[in-house]
Amino acid sequence: MVTTFRKLISVLLILISLTLVTAKSRHFSRTLSPSSQKLRKEKLSHLHFYFHDIVSGKNPTAVRVAQAAMTNHSPTLFGVVVMIDDPLTMEPEPSSKLVGRAQGIYASASQNETGLLMAMNFSFMEGKYNGSTLSVLGRNAVLSTVREMPIVGGSGLFRFARGYAQAKTHAFDPKTGDAVVDNTSRPPPTTQILHYIGRQDQNQNHLYFFFSSPQTHFAFLIFFFTMATTFPKLTSILHILISITLVAAKSDRFSKTLSPSSVKLSKQKLSHLHFYLHDKVSGQNATAVRVAQATMTNQSPTFFGAVIMFDDALTMEPERNSKLVGRAQGMYGSASQTETGLAVVMNFAFMEGKYNGSTLSVMGRNAVFSTVREMPIIGGSGLFRFGRGYVQAKTHTIDLKTGDAVVEYNVYVFHY
Ligand SMILES: *[C@@H]1O[C@H](CO)[C@@H](O)[C@H](O)[C@H]1NC(C)=O
Ligand SMILES: *[C@@H]1O[C@H](CO)[C@@H](O)[C@H](O)[C@H]1NC(C)=O
Ligand SMILES: *[C@@H]1O[C@H](CO)[C@@H](O)[C@H](O)[C@H]1NC(C)=O
Ligand SMILES: *[C@@H]1O[C@H](CO)[C@@H](O)[C@H](O)[C@H]1NC(C)=O
């Protein structure tokens, strides 16, 4: 008893002293003058590499970690979640110089076409970028010629990064699912890539990728996926090659710093979007399905640990048969043990008017029983490149028996 008491006392003393020290030397928050961080000028950078996604054989770099009951009956393997640790190399050959790794997940988040939710970090080990990372959260419609995914953040030399990456399929053997690097379709030389940038500009009037940080950095990244994917064979994705092209005489093949003025940037705009999201968790035509859970999930009042993949319709009006303006594709998981608090990672893929083909990436917390929930927009593609903003979600109707819900969304986004 006495010993226990002594122990308790000493623990208390330790706790108290920790608190005192903390109070003196640490703050939870304080405001700094930006100049105290010696912000340098923004930089625009361009990286180029190949991405190898190996799902078969003895040494896969991509493994399936979760799926829904209906995944194997779905033409798009809706619900499958794959964890990756994929090498990034300087050249298309897997044996060429390793410049980093892509680590994270991709998941089939689309019921009718091949659309992956990608959430990954590029962790670089090449030259001055060794130890720096870039975070990507976006939608990858692997069968489209060029897919654009937002870069939503970075660390090290890439602090405060934002931008986008472009992925393009090179070659693919439908028999084996192997991606083949065809020498005739190797990345174009400098002049072509510069032309490519120019063409993007003319079409979209938008620009690439920027950072501002102590090592302020302005960067963009173009990569080509050779995503060996056909619909039915998502499982046989053998190889994803990302070739990020830029071969300037002066730079190495991997990276290049460009002058920000070399690309025209239109003025920043603030846009407001308004639509309704239909989350159908019940019945045969469910648009939201459970793909993973913990052993204790079903005993938890909040279903803590349940992970749901969804492909929800976005409509102009609350009625499900009103005009379809896009889809919300991604995952939500119950991440709170005491109240209903979801961790949400999703892409809005729009198909309405000029926004057709553009996406917004959302990552946030959704306390579904609060009247208004706010979640950050952390990136965008197409017309929403460099998107930053927030969404407000408000339950319009919910069927308490089935859990099916219609949610009203107001979106506020800054973009170029
Ligand atoms: C990316 O890295 C950050 C920081 O290390 C980590 O918190 C995050 O979970 C990673 N994301 C993925 C998808 O791996
Ligand atoms: C998929 O297509 C079928 C038939 O075309 C349609 O009934 C269904 O609503 C679509 N589902 C989604 C999620 O787009
Ligand atoms: C990258 O940094 C790590 C840790 O600092 C070091 O061990 C490694 O050799 C470096 N790699 C390269 C290619 O510079
Ligand atoms: C592709 O190019 C490499 C050298 O760049 C060469 O070794 C290889 O034989 C070529 N392959 C084909 C199929 O032409």
Side-chain angles (χ1 to χ4, degrees), residues 55-363:
V55 299
S56 70
K58 267 193 258 174
N59 300 310
T61 60
V63 297
R64 201 190 273 211
V65 295
Q67 61 191 4
M70 46 73 76
T71 292
N72 286 332
H73 307 296
S74 157
T76 59
L77 295 180
F78 181 59
V80 70
V81 181
V82 176
M83 182 79 66
I84 61 171
D85 180 6
D86 287 349
L88 307 176
T89 62
M90 196 84 98
E91 305 291 336
E93 297 74 31
S95 57
S96 68
K97 188 169 185 195
L98 192 69
V99 296
R101 309 197 66 89
Q103 300 176 329
I105 60 167
Y106 59 78
S108 175
S110 181
Q111 289 189 299
N112 274 5
E113 44 163 355
T114 307
L116 302 181
L117 167 76
M118 311 283 297
M120 63 187 171
N121 292 315
F122 293 136
S123 166
F124 297 105
M125 51 188 68
E126 170 62 17
K128 65 177 176 181
Y129 298 110
N130 188 10
S132 296
T133 68
L134 283 174
S135 303
V136 174
L137 175 65
R139 180 171 188 271
N140 186 359
V142 289
L143 296 184
S144 306
T145 319
V146 178
R147 291 88 69 184
E148 197 170 294
M149 284 167 272
I151 287 160
V152 300
S155 71
L157 281 189
F158 293 123
R159 281 177 191 165
F160 298 103
R162 59 194 172 119
Y164 66 92
Q166 285 183 327
K168 192 176 171 186
T169 302
H170 256 319
F172 165 64
D173 179 345
K175 259 197 215 142
T176 60
D178 278 335
V180 177
V181 181
D182 175 357
N183 280 13
T184 60
S185 63
R186 288 191 74 142
T190 319
T191 48
Q192 279 173 287
I193 198 70
L194 290 175
H195 166 73
Y196 178 69
I197 293 165
R199 190 180 45 136
Q200 285 289 320
D201 251 357
Q202 279 162 15
N203 286 349
Q204 310 262 357
N205 273 322
H206 289 285
L207 143 72
Y208 306 105
F209 179 157
F210 25 134
F211 306 102
S212 66
S213 74
Q215 273 85 24
T216 301
H217 223 100
F218 195 54
F220 80 96
L221 186 117
I222 293 182
F223 61 120
F224 303 115
F225 268 112
T226 302
M227 184 98 178
T229 316
T230 49
F231 268 102
K233 284 280 168 206
L234 194 60
T235 36
S236 61
I237 302 172
L238 282 196
H239 238 104
I240 302 177
L241 297 176
I242 302 179
S243 88
I244 296 182
T245 318
L246 188 105
V247 195
K250 274 188 247 153
S251 69
D252 57 31
R253 275 181 63 77
F254 172 62
S255 71
K256 184 177 189 219
T257 302
L258 303 177
S259 136
S261 64
S262 68
V263 205
K264 265 181 269 157
L265 188 63
S266 58
K267 259 183 83 176
Q268 186 164 267
K269 290 192 263 296
L270 176 63
S271 297
H272 173 215
L273 308 176
H274 177 247
F275 49 80
Y276 294 84
L277 176 147
H278 300 260
D279 192 46
K280 190 162 169 21
V281 298
S282 70
Q284 282 212 314
N285 300 323
T287 59
V289 298
R290 201 190 274 204
V291 296
Q293 61 191 359
T295 45
M296 47 72 76
T297 293
N298 287 333
Q299 278 82 56
S300 157
T302 60
F303 292 103
F304 181 60
V307 178
I308 281 102
M309 183 84 65
F310 62 93
D311 179 4
D312 288 350
L314 306 176
T315 61
M316 198 84 99
E317 306 293 336
E319 295 74 35
R320 175 62 188 83
N321 57 8
S322 69
K323 188 169 188 192
L324 192 70
V325 296
R327 309 201 66 88
Q329 300 178 330
M331 295 196 285
Y332 54 82
S334 173
S336 175
Q337 290 189 290
T338 52
E339 47 166 351
T340 308
L342 303 179
V344 180
V345 181
M346 66 178 167
N347 297 309
F348 291 136
F350 296 103
M351 50 187 71
E352 171 60 15
K354 65 176 176 181
Y355 297 113
N356 188 14
S358 297
T359 69
L360 283 174
S361 301
V362 174
M363 181 170 176

